[in-house]
Amino acid sequence: MALTVLCLSFVAFLVLGVPVAFAIGLSCLATFVVEGLPFETAIQMMTSGMNVFSFLAIPFFIFSGELMLHGGIADKIVAFARSLVGHWKGGLGLANVMASTLFGGVSGSPVADTSAMGGVMIPIMKREGYSAAYAVNVTTHASLSGALMPTSHNMIIYAFAAQAATGMISGHMIKDVSIGDLMFAGLVPVFWIMACMLVTAYWQARKYGYPKSEDGRSLIERFPGWSVVLRTFVASVPGLLVIAIILFCVMKGITTATEAAAIAVTYSLLLTVVIYRSMTRQKLMKSFAKAAKTTGVILLLIGVSNMLRYQMAYLEIPDAIESALLTATKEPWLMLLYINIIQVVLGIFLDMAAHILITTPLFLPLAIQMGVGPVQFGMMLLLNCALGLVHPPVGTVQFVGCAIGNISIGEATKTAWPYYLAIFVAINLVTYVPGFSTWLPSLITGHAVL
C-alpha cells in the first residue's frame, strides 16, 4: 500500500506540473502518513541530507560559473575558437563546438553553457547563413560537456549519493567515491564527445551547404592569420586556467574539492573584476542571485531525496529492483544495458540533480555486483543524465537553446539524431570499456580507480 501511494502520488504530482523537488517531498510525506511514521523523522532525514560539509563546493562551483558567464569570458573563448576554425566549411559550427566545450569546463553547467554560448553564437550563426536548428543543436549538445568537467557540481551530488556504496571488485574494496577521481575520469569522455560533435557539425555543414546566403552562395570566412589566433588564444587563457587550477590542486592533494571550488570563486572574481574589468555591480548582483537560487533548488532536492532514500530503504525498494533485474538476466553486459535503458527513460522526465539522487542508490549496488566501480558508474550516470537534458519533453538545455534560436523543440529534434548517436556511443564506451573513464585517473593518482 505504502509503495503504491509513493509511486502514484509522485507520478501524479509530476503530471500536474509540480516541481520535482516538491513532488518528491509531498509524495514522501503522503507515504509517511500511510505508514503512520512521525513527521519528525522526515524533517530529520531532510536536514541531515543537506548538512554535509562537502556540499559547500556546490554553491562555490555554481557561483564561479555565474561569474564567468556574466564576466565576458564566453566572448573571449568564442573569439579564439572562431579564429582557429571559422574559415573551414561549417566553421562557425565547429567554433561553436570548441567554444561550448571549453566554456563548459569553466562554468560546469550545461544550462549556463547553453545560455552563454547560445546567446553569442546562435544569433551570429543564423545571420551568417546557418539554419536555426543547426545552430541550436550544435550549441546544446556541445554544452553537455559541462556535466563531466571538473567544475561540475553534479559530480559533488553524485559523490554524496554514492557514499554508502560498498563491495569488492577484482580484489579491491569499494568504499565511497573520490571526487578527484571523478574529475579526472570525465576528461576523456568529454574530448570524445567534442570530437564526435566536430565530425557531426562538419558533416551536416557539408550536407546542407552551410554557411550559405539566401540565394545559395557559400559564405565561408577567410583565415585571419596565426597572429590573430595567437592573440585570441592568449586572451582566452586566463578564463580557461580555472580548469587547470582545480585539477592541479586536487591532483597534488593541496585542497579538497570544497576548497578548490572556493579557490575557483576567488580566481573568477580576480579575473572578472581586476584583470578583465568586465564585472559591473549589476552583473555581480545578478551572479549572486542566480547562484543563490540554483543552490537553493539543488539543496532542497538533496534534502527531499534523502527523505526518499529513507523511504526506499524502509520499503526495501532497492532490493526489489535488484531481485527483478537479476531474475531477468545474470549476464553482466545485458544487465548494464538494462540499467542504461532505464536511465535514458528516466532522464526524459527527471532533472539532472534529481535523477542522480534517486537512481544512484538504486543501481550502483547492482553495478558493483556486475564489476562496475563507482567512478565508472558515475560517468555512465552523468552521460545518461546529460542525454536527458537535450531530449524532450523535459530537456532543459534544449528548451533554453530553442528559446534563444526562436524555434520549436520539434523542429530542432528532427535533425538532432547524429548528436544523440554520439552521446549514446560515449555511454556504451564508458559502460563496456572501463579504461575509457578510469585510465586517466588511475594514471594520475598512481592507484587503481574503479
Side-chain angles (χ1 to χ4, degrees):
M1 177 63 180
L3 179 58
T4 303
V5 170
L6 179 64
C7 296
L8 291 182
S9 60
F10 178 61
V11 172
F13 284 129
L14 288 180
V15 170
L16 291 172
V18 176
V20 173
F22 291 101
I24 294 172
L26 291 172
S27 59
C28 285
L29 290 177
T31 312
F32 268 80
V33 171
V34 171
E35 294 169 339
L37 296 173
F39 279 177
E40 289 83 355
T41 303
I43 302 302
Q44 183 181 11
M45 291 296 105
M46 188 171 176
T47 54
S48 64
M50 293 185 286
N51 189 25
V52 179
F53 176 78
S54 60
F55 283 167
L56 281 174
I58 294 175
F60 283 139
F61 274 137
I62 293 172
F63 185 42
S64 174
E66 290 296 327
L67 289 171
M68 293 291 191
L69 173 61
H70 297 292
I73 308 302
D75 297 336
K76 293 174 175 55
I77 293 175
V78 167
F80 165 60
R82 189 171 182 178
S83 69
L84 189 64
V85 296
H87 60 288
W88 294 359
K89 188 72 174 178
L92 276 183
L94 304 180
N96 196 343
V97 171
M98 288 185 60
S100 294
T101 302
L102 293 174
F103 190 75
V106 173
S107 69
S109 167
V111 176
D113 192 356
T114 301
S115 300
M117 289 298 121
V120 175
M121 292 298 292
I122 292 175
I124 294 175
M125 291 178 71
K126 288 174 65 178
R127 186 177 70 241
E128 299 194 13
Y130 295 81
S131 72
Y134 177 82
V136 168
N137 282 324
V138 167
T139 305
T140 54
H141 290 80
S143 72
L144 299 183
S145 59
L148 301 176
M149 284 294 200
T151 51
S152 173
H153 60 269
N154 291 298
M155 288 187 178
I156 311 296
I157 297 173
Y158 170 72
F160 160 75
Q163 63 184 354
T166 57
M168 292 287 293
I169 299 178
S170 302
H172 296 277
M173 181 66 186
I174 302 298
K175 185 178 180 182
D176 298 337
V177 56
S178 165
I179 296 175
D181 290 345
L182 287 171
M183 288 180 176
F184 289 108
L187 295 179
V188 172
V190 158
F191 283 105
W192 162 262
I193 292 174
M194 184 182 76
C196 289
M197 294 302 166
L198 286 170
V199 171
T200 304
Y202 180 75
W203 172 73
Q204 284 197 327
R206 290 194 64 87
K207 179 180 179 180
Y208 297 109
Y210 298 139
K212 60 184 178 181
S213 62
E214 292 182 1
D215 61 6
R217 289 184 298 107
S218 177
L219 294 173
I220 299 177
E221 299 178 359
R222 289 186 176 182
F223 181 54
W226 288 108
S227 61
V228 175
V229 173
L230 180 61
R231 187 169 65 250
T232 55
F233 171 70
V234 171
S236 68
V237 164
L240 298 175
L241 273 178
V242 67
I243 311 171
I245 290 171
I246 292 171
L247 290 175
F248 178 79
C249 290
V250 173
M251 179 177 65
K252 295 297 183 180
I254 299 172
T255 63
T256 64
T258 303
E259 292 162 342
I263 290 172
V265 170
T266 304
Y267 179 76
S268 300
L269 283 169
L270 178 67
L271 185 63
T272 55
V273 175
V274 179
I275 298 177
Y276 287 150
R277 298 184 180 180
S278 55
M279 182 62 67
T280 63
R281 185 174 182 274
Q282 184 179 5
K283 290 179 179 178
L284 183 60
M285 291 300 104
K286 189 174 182 180
S287 299
F288 270 120
K290 181 64 177 176
K293 179 181 178 181
T294 306
T295 300
V297 170
I298 290 175
L299 287 179
L300 177 61
L301 268 171
I302 290 171
V304 296
S305 295
N306 200 52
M307 194 194 311
L308 178 61
R309 291 174 68 185
Y310 173 83
Q311 282 286 352
M312 290 192 298
Y314 185 82
L315 297 173
E316 300 180 343
I317 294 175
D319 293 338
I321 291 176
E322 181 179 325
S323 176
L325 287 174
L326 287 173
T327 301
T329 182
K330 296 270 192 315
E331 292 289 335
W333 72 270
L334 192 56
M335 179 71 70
L336 295 174
L337 177 62
Y338 288 158
I339 291 175
N340 276 335
I341 292 172
I342 294 171
Q343 297 280 19
V344 169
V345 173
L346 290 175
I348 295 174
F349 303 101
L350 293 176
D351 193 60
M352 194 160 189
H355 190 164
I356 294 169
L357 290 163
I358 293 173
T359 61
T360 299
L362 290 178
F363 296 116
L364 180 54
L366 189 57
I368 291 175
Q369 284 191 44
M370 298 296 109
V372 175
V375 171
Q376 183 185 352
F377 180 80
M379 293 302 106
M380 286 172 53
L381 179 57
L382 289 172
L383 281 167
N384 277 302
C385 292
L387 183 59
L389 292 176
V390 291
H391 198 289
V394 176
T396 311
V397 168
Q398 196 74 342
F399 272 119
V400 173
C402 288
I404 296 172
N406 196 28
I407 61 170
S408 68
I409 293 287
E411 188 178 349
T413 304
K414 287 178 184 177
T415 56
W417 67 266
Y419 305 95
Y420 294 155
L421 180 62
I423 299 170
F424 184 72
V425 170
I427 291 172
N428 281 280
L429 281 172
V430 167
T431 302
Y432 297 112
V433 185
F436 190 67
S437 54
T438 60
W439 168 77
L440 186 59
S442 297
L443 178 68
I444 292 171
T445 61
H447 62 80
V449 173
L450 298 171

